[in-house]
Amino acid sequence: MSLVPNITELLARARADLRMGVPVVLTDELGFGVLAFATETLSPQRLADLRTLGGEPVVAITMRRAETLKARAYDGDLARVMIPADAELSWVQAVADPSDDLNAPMKGPLMTQRQGSANLHRIAIALAKSAQLLPATVVVPIDESHEFAATHALTRIDHARAAPHLTDRSALHPVVAARLPMEVSEAGRLHVFRPEDGGEEHYAVEIGRPDRDKPVLARLHSACFTGDLMGSLKCDCGPQLRGALTQMGAEGAGVLLYLNQEGRGIGLANKMRAYFLQDQGFDTVEANHRLGFEDDERDFRLGSDILKSLGFSSVRLLTNNPAKIAMMERTGIAVTERVPLKVGETDFNRSYLATKAAKSGHLL
């Protein structure tokens, strides 16, 4: 019956639950089930309640965070850190949050599980990450998981159904387009695209009337609240945004894709956590790793999807990032030219730009 939520809708509900501090039930094809909480939003009362369930709770963290804590990641991409019986919520959350690592570096010795499957823990971390929370979850096994979810009115996610949806990008659908006169060009038009998975919308800013039969001057720009709106000097995002639009206006045609993937895909709150770590002396990549993220969590394939939807098959790409060029080529958009965009260097972001060049391969 169509009134029953499908797996995409259940995953969106699960993300919202985790952000609110509500646990979700995860189950596998063998009937095994766990109760999973986002570590960041776990409350003292719910920590006390999960301890009454009888299982052995763990904090599931990514391999990146495990490396920082010197915890053994027996599962390869993640570690299941056992929670001591006397551990308070502050200890549990400190395993996930690196903000106090330098003040209290010794959290262990940390004991990690190596027996049993980590598939459901992997799903839990993926859900927390996609909810733009710290990629760490408190997980405890439960009996009769289907009944437990129904009794406690909790969202239940089946591993086999959910796994493909957490790795594949969501389909995007055009919502509306309207004329938008701008400073750089009075012939502007804004297109809004909405993903099926309930995530944030993405935008395409079209300048002039680009010929669909020729390579269009294009830029994939990831949202940056601090740089685009606040004029932050810690990055070059704002100058890149304005520089790209200015160049498109000067040429009379172009398309700028504004993708809501703040902080290289980790969200504004986590980006601010990374900034806090940078103030402690870590570079931008090291900060992401200490938080448990990869260097870059963005999905540039979204840009290719939008370009195809707008009728473009080839671009002159305004970028310093070879990864964007490679993605375009892999997904069927021909890149006929890389157009450099070297703007916005300041005393505050010089080391940041150097790290992007040295560790992320940006052509600066």
Short mmCIF file of all heavy atoms in Angstrom, two decimals, residues 261-321:
data_model
loop_
_atom_site.label_atom_id
_atom_site.label_comp_id
_atom_site.label_asym_id
_atom_site.label_seq_id
_atom_site.Cartn_x
_atom_site.Cartn_y
_atom_site.Cartn_z
N GLN A 261 26.51 21.41 0.08
CA GLN A 261 27.41 20.44 0.69
C GLN A 261 28.44 21.21 1.52
O GLN A 261 29.63 21.19 1.23
CB GLN A 261 28.09 19.59 -0.38
CG GLN A 261 27.10 18.81 -1.24
CD GLN A 261 27.76 17.81 -2.16
OE1 GLN A 261 27.62 16.59 -1.99
NE2 GLN A 261 28.46 18.29 -3.15
N GLU A 262 27.92 21.89 2.54
CA GLU A 262 28.73 22.76 3.38
C GLU A 262 29.91 22.02 4.01
O GLU A 262 29.80 20.86 4.41
CB GLU A 262 27.84 23.33 4.50
CG GLU A 262 28.52 24.25 5.47
CD GLU A 262 28.63 25.68 4.96
OE1 GLU A 262 27.68 26.17 4.35
OE2 GLU A 262 29.69 26.28 5.20
N GLY A 263 31.04 22.72 4.08
CA GLY A 263 32.19 22.16 4.78
C GLY A 263 32.73 20.90 4.15
O GLY A 263 33.07 19.94 4.84
N ARG A 264 32.80 20.88 2.80
CA ARG A 264 33.21 19.67 2.07
C ARG A 264 32.33 18.48 2.44
O ARG A 264 32.77 17.34 2.54
CB ARG A 264 34.70 19.35 2.33
CG ARG A 264 35.63 20.40 1.75
CD ARG A 264 37.02 19.84 1.47
NE ARG A 264 37.73 19.45 2.66
CZ ARG A 264 38.50 20.27 3.38
NH1 ARG A 264 38.64 21.52 3.02
NH2 ARG A 264 39.13 19.84 4.46
N GLY A 265 31.04 18.78 2.68
CA GLY A 265 30.05 17.73 2.86
C GLY A 265 29.81 17.29 4.29
O GLY A 265 29.06 16.32 4.51
N ILE A 266 30.38 17.99 5.28
CA ILE A 266 30.19 17.55 6.67
C ILE A 266 29.21 18.44 7.43
O ILE A 266 28.89 18.14 8.59
CB ILE A 266 31.53 17.47 7.43
CG1 ILE A 266 32.17 18.85 7.61
CG2 ILE A 266 32.49 16.52 6.72
CD1 ILE A 266 33.45 18.83 8.43
N GLY A 267 28.75 19.52 6.83
CA GLY A 267 27.79 20.39 7.49
C GLY A 267 28.47 21.52 8.24
O GLY A 267 29.65 21.44 8.61
N LEU A 268 27.70 22.58 8.49
CA LEU A 268 28.28 23.78 9.11
C LEU A 268 28.76 23.53 10.53
O LEU A 268 29.83 24.01 10.92
CB LEU A 268 27.25 24.91 9.10
CG LEU A 268 27.72 26.25 9.66
CD1 LEU A 268 28.95 26.78 8.91
CD2 LEU A 268 26.59 27.28 9.63
N ALA A 269 27.99 22.80 11.33
CA ALA A 269 28.40 22.57 12.72
C ALA A 269 29.73 21.83 12.77
O ALA A 269 30.64 22.18 13.54
CB ALA A 269 27.33 21.79 13.47
N ASN A 270 29.86 20.79 11.95
CA ASN A 270 31.12 20.04 11.94
C ASN A 270 32.25 20.86 11.33
O ASN A 270 33.42 20.71 11.70
CB ASN A 270 30.94 18.72 11.18
CG ASN A 270 30.13 17.72 11.97
OD1 ASN A 270 30.28 17.60 13.19
ND2 ASN A 270 29.24 17.01 11.30
N LYS A 271 31.94 21.74 10.38
CA LYS A 271 32.97 22.62 9.83
C LYS A 271 33.50 23.54 10.92
O LYS A 271 34.71 23.79 11.00
CB LYS A 271 32.43 23.43 8.66
CG LYS A 271 33.51 24.29 7.99
CD LYS A 271 33.01 24.95 6.73
CE LYS A 271 32.29 26.24 6.99
NZ LYS A 271 32.04 27.01 5.76
N MET A 272 32.61 24.04 11.78
CA MET A 272 33.06 24.89 12.88
C MET A 272 33.90 24.09 13.88
O MET A 272 34.84 24.62 14.47
CB MET A 272 31.86 25.53 13.57
CG MET A 272 31.13 26.59 12.75
SD MET A 272 32.20 28.00 12.31
CE MET A 272 32.68 27.55 10.64
N ARG A 273 33.56 22.83 14.06
CA ARG A 273 34.41 21.97 14.90
C ARG A 273 35.80 21.84 14.27
O ARG A 273 36.81 21.85 14.97
CB ARG A 273 33.77 20.59 15.05
CG ARG A 273 32.51 20.56 15.92
CD ARG A 273 32.01 19.13 16.09
NE ARG A 273 30.96 19.05 17.09
CZ ARG A 273 29.69 18.74 16.83
NH1 ARG A 273 29.32 18.46 15.59
NH2 ARG A 273 28.80 18.70 17.80
N ALA A 274 35.83 21.71 12.95
CA ALA A 274 37.12 21.63 12.26
C ALA A 274 37.90 22.93 12.41
O ALA A 274 39.13 22.91 12.60
CB ALA A 274 36.91 21.29 10.78
N TYR A 275 37.21 24.06 12.34
CA TYR A 275 37.88 25.35 12.54
C TYR A 275 38.48 25.44 13.95
O TYR A 275 39.58 25.96 14.13
CB TYR A 275 36.88 26.49 12.35
CG TYR A 275 36.67 26.91 10.91
CD1 TYR A 275 37.08 26.11 9.84
CD2 TYR A 275 36.04 28.12 10.61
CE1 TYR A 275 36.88 26.50 8.53
CE2 TYR A 275 35.84 28.52 9.30
CZ TYR A 275 36.26 27.72 8.26
OH TYR A 275 36.06 28.11 6.97
N PHE A 276 37.73 24.93 14.93
CA PHE A 276 38.24 24.93 16.31
C PHE A 276 39.53 24.12 16.40
O PHE A 276 40.49 24.53 17.06
CB PHE A 276 37.17 24.36 17.24
CG PHE A 276 37.57 24.28 18.69
CD1 PHE A 276 37.53 25.40 19.49
CD2 PHE A 276 38.01 23.09 19.24
CE1 PHE A 276 37.91 25.34 20.83
CE2 PHE A 276 38.39 23.01 20.57
CZ PHE A 276 38.34 24.14 21.36
N LEU A 277 39.56 22.99 15.72
CA LEU A 277 40.77 22.16 15.72
C LEU A 277 41.91 22.84 14.95
O LEU A 277 43.08 22.71 15.33
CB LEU A 277 40.47 20.80 15.10
CG LEU A 277 39.48 19.91 15.87
CD1 LEU A 277 39.18 18.64 15.10
CD2 LEU A 277 40.01 19.57 17.27
N GLN A 278 41.57 23.56 13.90
CA GLN A 278 42.61 24.28 13.17
C GLN A 278 43.25 25.35 14.05
O GLN A 278 44.46 25.61 13.95
CB GLN A 278 42.01 24.91 11.91
CG GLN A 278 41.66 23.88 10.84
CD GLN A 278 40.86 24.48 9.70
OE1 GLN A 278 41.10 25.61 9.28
NE2 GLN A 278 39.91 23.72 9.17
N ASP A 279 42.45 25.96 14.93
CA ASP A 279 43.00 26.93 15.86
C ASP A 279 43.96 26.28 16.86
O ASP A 279 44.78 26.96 17.47
CB ASP A 279 41.88 27.64 16.63
CG ASP A 279 41.12 28.64 15.76
OD1 ASP A 279 41.67 29.04 14.72
OD2 ASP A 279 39.98 28.99 16.11
N GLN A 280 43.86 24.95 17.01
CA GLN A 280 44.78 24.22 17.88
C GLN A 280 46.04 23.78 17.15
O GLN A 280 46.94 23.19 17.75
CB GLN A 280 44.07 22.98 18.47
CG GLN A 280 42.91 23.32 19.40
CD GLN A 280 42.24 22.07 19.95
OE1 GLN A 280 42.60 20.94 19.61
NE2 GLN A 280 41.26 22.26 20.82
N GLY A 281 46.10 24.06 15.84
CA GLY A 281 47.31 23.76 15.08
C GLY A 281 47.19 22.69 14.03
O GLY A 281 48.18 22.38 13.34
N PHE A 282 46.02 22.08 13.87
CA PHE A 282 45.84 21.04 12.86
C PHE A 282 45.45 21.68 11.53
O PHE A 282 44.74 22.68 11.50
CB PHE A 282 44.77 20.04 13.30
CG PHE A 282 45.08 19.35 14.60
CD1 PHE A 282 44.48 19.75 15.78
CD2 PHE A 282 45.99 18.31 14.63
CE1 PHE A 282 44.77 19.12 16.98
CE2 PHE A 282 46.29 17.66 15.82
CZ PHE A 282 45.69 18.07 17.00
N ASP A 283 45.91 21.08 10.42
CA ASP A 283 45.49 21.62 9.13
C ASP A 283 44.09 21.11 8.81
O ASP A 283 43.50 20.29 9.54
CB ASP A 283 46.50 21.31 8.03
CG ASP A 283 46.60 19.83 7.66
OD1 ASP A 283 45.58 19.11 7.72
OD2 ASP A 283 47.71 19.38 7.30
N THR A 284 43.52 21.56 7.68
CA THR A 284 42.12 21.27 7.37
C THR A 284 41.87 19.77 7.19
O THR A 284 40.83 19.25 7.60
CB THR A 284 41.68 22.05 6.11
OG1 THR A 284 40.33 21.76 5.82
CG2 THR A 284 42.55 21.70 4.90
N VAL A 285 42.82 19.04 6.60
CA VAL A 285 42.65 17.60 6.41
C VAL A 285 42.78 16.87 7.74
O VAL A 285 41.98 15.98 8.07
CB VAL A 285 43.67 17.06 5.40
CG1 VAL A 285 43.66 15.53 5.36
CG2 VAL A 285 43.38 17.62 4.01
N GLU A 286 43.77 17.23 8.54
CA GLU A 286 43.95 16.61 9.86
C GLU A 286 42.73 16.83 10.74
O GLU A 286 42.31 15.93 11.49
CB GLU A 286 45.20 17.19 10.53
CG GLU A 286 46.50 16.79 9.86
CD GLU A 286 47.68 17.63 10.35
OE1 GLU A 286 47.45 18.71 10.96
OE2 GLU A 286 48.83 17.21 10.11
N ALA A 287 42.15 18.03 10.66
CA ALA A 287 40.97 18.33 11.47
C ALA A 287 39.81 17.42 11.08
O ALA A 287 39.10 16.88 11.95
CB ALA A 287 40.59 19.80 11.31
N ASN A 288 39.60 17.25 9.79
CA ASN A 288 38.52 16.36 9.34
C ASN A 288 38.74 14.94 9.84
O ASN A 288 37.81 14.27 10.28
CB ASN A 288 38.45 16.36 7.81
CG ASN A 288 37.46 17.37 7.27
OD1 ASN A 288 37.21 18.40 7.90
ND2 ASN A 288 36.89 17.11 6.11
N HIS A 289 39.96 14.47 9.77
CA HIS A 289 40.26 13.11 10.22
C HIS A 289 40.02 12.95 11.72
O HIS A 289 39.50 11.92 12.16
CB HIS A 289 41.71 12.75 9.88
CG HIS A 289 41.94 12.58 8.41
ND1 HIS A 289 43.19 12.28 7.89
CD2 HIS A 289 41.11 12.66 7.35
CE1 HIS A 289 43.10 12.18 6.57
NE2 HIS A 289 41.86 12.42 6.22
N ARG A 290 40.40 13.93 12.50
CA ARG A 290 40.19 13.84 13.95
C ARG A 290 38.70 13.81 14.29
O ARG A 290 38.30 13.22 15.30
CB ARG A 290 40.87 15.01 14.66
CG ARG A 290 42.38 14.99 14.59
CD ARG A 290 43.01 16.07 15.45
NE ARG A 290 42.97 15.70 16.87
CZ ARG A 290 43.91 14.98 17.49
NH1 ARG A 290 44.97 14.54 16.81
NH2 ARG A 290 43.80 14.70 18.76
N LEU A 291 37.89 14.43 13.45
CA LEU A 291 36.44 14.39 13.65
C LEU A 291 35.84 13.07 13.21
O LEU A 291 34.68 12.77 13.54
CB LEU A 291 35.78 15.53 12.87
CG LEU A 291 35.97 16.94 13.43
CD1 LEU A 291 35.60 17.97 12.38
CD2 LEU A 291 35.14 17.13 14.69
N GLY A 292 36.60 12.30 12.44
CA GLY A 292 36.10 11.02 11.96
C GLY A 292 35.68 11.03 10.51
O GLY A 292 35.14 10.03 10.01
N PHE A 293 35.92 12.13 9.81
CA PHE A 293 35.53 12.25 8.41
C PHE A 293 36.73 12.00 7.49
O PHE A 293 37.88 12.06 7.91
CB PHE A 293 34.97 13.64 8.12
CG PHE A 293 33.69 13.94 8.84
CD1 PHE A 293 33.68 14.77 9.95
CD2 PHE A 293 32.49 13.41 8.40
CE1 PHE A 293 32.49 15.06 10.61
CE2 PHE A 293 31.30 13.69 9.05
CZ PHE A 293 31.30 14.52 10.16
N GLU A 294 36.43 11.78 6.21
CA GLU A 294 37.46 11.73 5.19
C GLU A 294 37.85 13.15 4.79
O GLU A 294 37.23 14.12 5.21
CB GLU A 294 36.96 10.94 3.98
CG GLU A 294 36.70 9.47 4.26
CD GLU A 294 37.95 8.75 4.76
OE1 GLU A 294 39.05 9.01 4.21
OE2 GLU A 294 37.84 7.94 5.70
N ASP A 295 38.88 13.25 3.95
CA ASP A 295 39.33 14.58 3.50
C ASP A 295 38.17 15.38 2.91
O ASP A 295 38.04 16.58 3.16
CB ASP A 295 40.40 14.46 2.40
CG ASP A 295 41.61 13.65 2.84
OD1 ASP A 295 41.50 12.88 3.80
OD2 ASP A 295 42.65 13.79 2.19
N ASP A 296 37.37 14.72 2.11
CA ASP A 296 36.29 15.39 1.39
C ASP A 296 35.11 14.43 1.30
O ASP A 296 35.23 13.34 0.75
CB ASP A 296 36.77 15.78 -0.02
CG ASP A 296 35.89 16.81 -0.70
OD1 ASP A 296 34.68 16.83 -0.40
OD2 ASP A 296 36.40 17.58 -1.53
N GLU A 297 33.97 14.84 1.83
CA GLU A 297 32.79 13.98 1.87
C GLU A 297 31.75 14.38 0.81
O GLU A 297 30.64 13.86 0.80
CB GLU A 297 32.13 14.05 3.26
CG GLU A 297 33.00 13.53 4.39
CD GLU A 297 32.96 12.01 4.54
OE1 GLU A 297 32.16 11.37 3.81
OE2 GLU A 297 33.72 11.48 5.37
N ARG A 298 32.11 15.30 -0.08
CA ARG A 298 31.14 15.77 -1.07
C ARG A 298 30.89 14.74 -2.18
O ARG A 298 31.74 13.89 -2.44
CB ARG A 298 31.63 17.08 -1.70
CG ARG A 298 31.60 18.26 -0.76
CD ARG A 298 32.23 19.48 -1.40
NE ARG A 298 33.68 19.32 -1.60
CZ ARG A 298 34.46 20.26 -2.11
NH1 ARG A 298 33.93 21.43 -2.46
NH2 ARG A 298 35.76 20.04 -2.25
N ASP A 299 29.73 14.86 -2.81
CA ASP A 299 29.39 14.02 -3.96
C ASP A 299 29.21 14.94 -5.16
O ASP A 299 28.15 15.54 -5.36
CB ASP A 299 28.11 13.24 -3.69
CG ASP A 299 27.82 12.19 -4.76
OD1 ASP A 299 28.46 12.25 -5.83
OD2 ASP A 299 26.96 11.32 -4.53
N PHE A 300 30.25 15.07 -5.97
CA PHE A 300 30.21 15.97 -7.11
C PHE A 300 29.34 15.43 -8.24
O PHE A 300 29.04 16.14 -9.21
CB PHE A 300 31.62 16.22 -7.64
CG PHE A 300 32.49 16.99 -6.69
CD1 PHE A 300 33.74 16.51 -6.34
CD2 PHE A 300 32.07 18.18 -6.14
CE1 PHE A 300 34.56 17.21 -5.47
CE2 PHE A 300 32.87 18.89 -5.27
CZ PHE A 300 34.12 18.40 -4.93
N ARG A 301 28.92 14.17 -8.15
CA ARG A 301 28.05 13.62 -9.18
C ARG A 301 26.73 14.38 -9.28
O ARG A 301 26.08 14.39 -10.33
CB ARG A 301 27.79 12.14 -8.90
CG ARG A 301 29.03 11.25 -8.93
CD ARG A 301 28.71 9.83 -8.51
NE ARG A 301 28.19 9.77 -7.15
CZ ARG A 301 27.77 8.65 -6.57
NH1 ARG A 301 27.79 7.50 -7.25
NH2 ARG A 301 27.32 8.66 -5.33
N LEU A 302 26.35 15.03 -8.18
CA LEU A 302 25.13 15.84 -8.19
C LEU A 302 25.21 16.92 -9.26
O LEU A 302 24.21 17.24 -9.92
CB LEU A 302 24.91 16.49 -6.82
CG LEU A 302 24.69 15.54 -5.64
CD1 LEU A 302 24.72 16.32 -4.33
CD2 LEU A 302 23.36 14.81 -5.79
N GLY A 303 26.39 17.51 -9.42
CA GLY A 303 26.57 18.54 -10.43
C GLY A 303 26.36 18.00 -11.83
O GLY A 303 25.74 18.66 -12.68
N SER A 304 26.86 16.81 -12.09
CA SER A 304 26.67 16.18 -13.39
C SER A 304 25.20 15.91 -13.65
O SER A 304 24.69 16.13 -14.75
CB SER A 304 27.47 14.87 -13.44
OG SER A 304 27.25 14.19 -14.65
N ASP A 305 24.49 15.45 -12.62
CA ASP A 305 23.05 15.18 -12.76
C ASP A 305 22.29 16.44 -13.15
O ASP A 305 21.40 16.42 -14.01
CB ASP A 305 22.50 14.61 -11.46
CG ASP A 305 23.04 13.24 -11.12
OD1 ASP A 305 23.56 12.56 -12.03
OD2 ASP A 305 22.93 12.83 -9.94
N ILE A 306 22.63 17.56 -12.49
CA ILE A 306 21.92 18.81 -12.77
C ILE A 306 22.23 19.31 -14.18
O ILE A 306 21.34 19.75 -14.92
CB ILE A 306 22.29 19.88 -11.72
CG1 ILE A 306 21.74 19.48 -10.34
CG2 ILE A 306 21.74 21.25 -12.12
CD1 ILE A 306 22.17 20.39 -9.21
N LEU A 307 23.49 19.23 -14.58
CA LEU A 307 23.86 19.66 -15.93
C LEU A 307 23.10 18.87 -16.99
O LEU A 307 22.59 19.44 -17.97
CB LEU A 307 25.37 19.52 -16.13
CG LEU A 307 26.24 20.56 -15.45
CD1 LEU A 307 27.71 20.13 -15.50
CD2 LEU A 307 26.08 21.93 -16.10
N LYS A 308 23.02 17.56 -16.81
CA LYS A 308 22.29 16.74 -17.77
C LYS A 308 20.82 17.12 -17.78
O LYS A 308 20.18 17.17 -18.85
CB LYS A 308 22.46 15.26 -17.42
CG LYS A 308 23.87 14.73 -17.66
CD LYS A 308 23.97 13.28 -17.21
CE LYS A 308 25.39 12.74 -17.39
NZ LYS A 308 25.52 11.36 -16.88
N SER A 309 20.25 17.37 -16.61
CA SER A 309 18.84 17.76 -16.52
C SER A 309 18.59 19.06 -17.27
O SER A 309 17.51 19.26 -17.87
CB SER A 309 18.43 17.90 -15.06
OG SER A 309 17.09 18.33 -14.94
N LEU A 310 19.58 19.96 -17.27
CA LEU A 310 19.44 21.25 -17.96
C LEU A 310 19.76 21.14 -19.45
O LEU A 310 19.63 22.14 -20.18
CB LEU A 310 20.36 22.28 -17.30
CG LEU A 310 19.98 22.72 -15.89
CD1 LEU A 310 21.05 23.62 -15.31
CD2 LEU A 310 18.62 23.42 -15.87
N GLY A 311 20.22 19.97 -19.89
CA GLY A 311 20.48 19.77 -21.30
C GLY A 311 21.91 19.97 -21.75
O GLY A 311 22.18 20.05 -22.96
N PHE A 312 22.86 20.03 -20.80
CA PHE A 312 24.28 20.23 -21.15
C PHE A 312 25.00 18.88 -21.17
O PHE A 312 24.77 18.02 -20.32
CB PHE A 312 24.96 21.15 -20.15
CG PHE A 312 24.40 22.55 -20.13
CD1 PHE A 312 23.57 22.96 -19.09
CD2 PHE A 312 24.68 23.45 -21.14
CE1 PHE A 312 23.03 24.24 -19.06
CE2 PHE A 312 24.15 24.73 -21.13
CZ PHE A 312 23.32 25.13 -20.09
N SER A 313 25.92 18.74 -22.13
CA SER A 313 26.71 17.50 -22.21
C SER A 313 28.21 17.77 -22.18
O SER A 313 29.00 16.83 -22.07
CB SER A 313 26.36 16.73 -23.47
OG SER A 313 26.63 17.51 -24.63
N SER A 314 28.61 19.05 -22.27
CA SER A 314 30.03 19.38 -22.21
C SER A 314 30.21 20.73 -21.55
O SER A 314 29.32 21.60 -21.61
CB SER A 314 30.65 19.39 -23.62
OG SER A 314 30.02 20.36 -24.44
N VAL A 315 31.37 20.90 -20.88
CA VAL A 315 31.60 22.12 -20.11
C VAL A 315 33.04 22.61 -20.27
O VAL A 315 33.94 21.85 -20.59
CB VAL A 315 31.35 21.88 -18.60
CG1 VAL A 315 29.90 21.56 -18.32
CG2 VAL A 315 32.27 20.78 -18.04
N ARG A 316 33.19 23.91 -20.06
CA ARG A 316 34.49 24.51 -19.77
C ARG A 316 34.44 24.76 -18.27
O ARG A 316 33.71 25.63 -17.80
CB ARG A 316 34.67 25.81 -20.54
CG ARG A 316 34.68 25.66 -22.04
CD ARG A 316 34.51 26.99 -22.75
NE ARG A 316 35.46 27.99 -22.24
CZ ARG A 316 35.10 29.25 -21.94
NH1 ARG A 316 33.85 29.66 -22.06
NH2 ARG A 316 36.01 30.10 -21.50
N LEU A 317 35.17 23.97 -17.52
CA LEU A 317 34.95 23.93 -16.08
C LEU A 317 35.85 24.90 -15.33
O LEU A 317 37.08 24.83 -15.42
CB LEU A 317 35.19 22.51 -15.55
CG LEU A 317 34.66 22.21 -14.15
CD1 LEU A 317 33.15 22.40 -14.09
CD2 LEU A 317 35.02 20.78 -13.74
N LEU A 318 35.22 25.82 -14.60
CA LEU A 318 35.94 26.76 -13.74
C LEU A 318 36.30 26.03 -12.45
O LEU A 318 35.46 25.87 -11.56
CB LEU A 318 35.04 27.96 -13.42
CG LEU A 318 35.06 29.15 -14.39
CD1 LEU A 318 33.82 30.01 -14.19
CD2 LEU A 318 36.32 29.99 -14.16
N THR A 319 37.54 25.59 -12.32
CA THR A 319 37.91 24.84 -11.13
C THR A 319 39.43 24.76 -11.00
O THR A 319 40.16 24.87 -11.98
CB THR A 319 37.34 23.40 -11.18
OG1 THR A 319 37.58 22.74 -9.94
CG2 THR A 319 37.97 22.59 -12.31
N ASN A 320 39.86 24.55 -9.77
CA ASN A 320 41.26 24.23 -9.48
C ASN A 320 41.39 22.78 -8.99
O ASN A 320 42.47 22.36 -8.60
CB ASN A 320 41.81 25.17 -8.40
CG ASN A 320 41.69 26.63 -8.81
OD1 ASN A 320 41.87 26.98 -9.97
ND2 ASN A 320 41.37 27.49 -7.83
N ASN A 321 40.25 22.07 -8.97
CA ASN A 321 40.19 20.75 -8.35
C ASN A 321 40.09 19.65 -9.41
O ASN A 321 39.04 19.48 -10.04
CB ASN A 321 38.97 20.69 -7.42
CG ASN A 321 38.91 19.41 -6.61
OD1 ASN A 321 39.70 18.50 -6.82
ND2 ASN A 321 37.97 19.34 -5.69
#
